[in-house]
């Protein structure tokens, strides 16, 4: 019994020494604790700031563009993307594209995927007319079954219960938005 108590006591002493050494030495993985203290400014070399160096053109190539460029006009795109054709004056409403030139129709899943909501954003103008048209389209796709919708006029959004993202995107592209 005395042998076990002595070995436990030695193990406890070595553990406390290890903990003390960790707290007194600078951490090897921390850049803050292991870095040198700030020296007087006279010990550091002079730095010349060049506002327009000739090497800057190589850096500018690597930077992302500030805005998304306008797409090049083609008769057909391989991805199936279509540019907007209508300004919405004839229909009384307009669905603006996103900054990446995409139709703003999204799928929101709630309750661990049990509830799906299709959201149409960026609607301007007569949002109620667009909601009636989209609800009629979804009900035709559901073989006459009613579908629940919600309109938020302030944010310009239409929420439709169910997953109808592809159906609504193709319909809005056909309308020219």
């Amino acid at each position: 019994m005395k042998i076990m108590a002595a070995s436990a006591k030695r193990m406890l002493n070595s553990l406390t020494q290890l903990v003390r050494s960790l707290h007194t030495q600078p951490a090897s993985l921390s850049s803050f604790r292991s870095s040198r203290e700030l020296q007087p400014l006279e010990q550091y070399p002079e730095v010349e700031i060049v506002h327009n160096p000739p090497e800057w053109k190589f850096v500018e190539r690597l930077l992302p563009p500030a805005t998304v460029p306008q797409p090049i006009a083609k008769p057909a795109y391989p991805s199936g993307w279509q540019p907007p054709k209508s300004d919405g004056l004839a229909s009384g409403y307009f669905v603006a594209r996103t900054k990446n030139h995409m139709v703003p129709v999204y799928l929101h899943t709630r309750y661990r995927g049990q509830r799906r909501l299709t959201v149409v954003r960026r609607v301007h103008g007569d949002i109620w007319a667009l909601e009636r048209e989209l609800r009629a389209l979804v009900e035709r796709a559901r073989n006459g079954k009613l579908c629940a919708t919600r309109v938020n006029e302030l944010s310009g959004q239409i929420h439709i219960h169910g997953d109808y993202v592809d159906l609504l995107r193709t319909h809005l592209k056909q309308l020219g938005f």
Side-chain angles (χ1 to χ4, degrees):
M1 190 73 158
K2 288 184 180 182
I3 297 172
M4 289 176 59
S7 65
K9 192 180 249 186
R10 273 187 267 134
M11 185 187 289
L12 184 62
N13 285 338
S14 64
L15 185 62
T16 55
Q17 287 175 355
L18 176 67
V19 170
R20 284 183 187 156
S21 68
L22 287 175
H23 288 294
T24 56
Q25 295 175 355
S28 61
L29 298 177
S30 172
S31 61
F32 173 73
R33 289 183 186 252
S34 62
S35 61
R36 290 184 282 148
E37 291 185 14
L38 185 65
Q39 304 294 324
L41 290 177
E42 294 81 31
Q43 292 185 356
Y44 295 108
E46 288 293 321
V47 177
E48 179 185 352
I49 299 174
V50 180
H51 293 286
N52 195 7
E55 297 87 16
W56 184 249
K57 63 182 176 183
F58 300 110
V59 175
E60 285 178 334
R61 278 190 336 196
L62 302 174
L63 295 175
T67 60
V68 178
Q70 289 294 327
I72 300 168
K74 296 179 183 177
Y77 295 88
S79 65
W81 180 83
Q82 298 173 355
K85 301 174 193 139
S86 173
D87 57 357
L89 293 177
S91 58
Y93 53 83
F94 178 71
V95 180
R97 296 279 180 111
T98 63
K99 67 178 182 178
N100 294 324
H101 312 292
M102 303 301 287
V103 180
V105 180
Y106 306 99
L107 178 67
H108 289 196
T109 56
R110 301 282 187 262
Y111 300 111
R112 297 182 182 179
Q114 297 298 316
R115 178 180 293 168
R116 293 189 173 107
L117 290 172
T118 303
V119 180
V120 180
R121 292 183 179 163
R122 300 173 145 244
V123 180
H124 303 284
D126 191 4
I127 194 169
W128 295 101
L130 178 61
E131 184 265 339
R132 282 191 299 272
E133 183 177 332
L134 295 180
R135 185 170 14 106
L137 176 73
V138 169
E139 287 174 357
R140 277 196 309 271
R142 295 180 61 177
N143 296 326
K145 278 180 143 180
L146 296 176
C147 81
T149 59
R150 182 175 67 213
V151 175
N152 189 340
E153 284 184 288
L154 293 177
S155 64
Q157 295 182 6
I158 301 173
H159 295 243
I160 300 172
H161 287 254
D163 183 0
Y164 303 104
V165 174
D166 295 332
L167 177 72
L168 296 182
R169 274 187 188 155
T170 55
H171 180 70
L172 290 173
K173 284 180 186 177
Q174 288 171 353
L175 291 177
F177 299 122

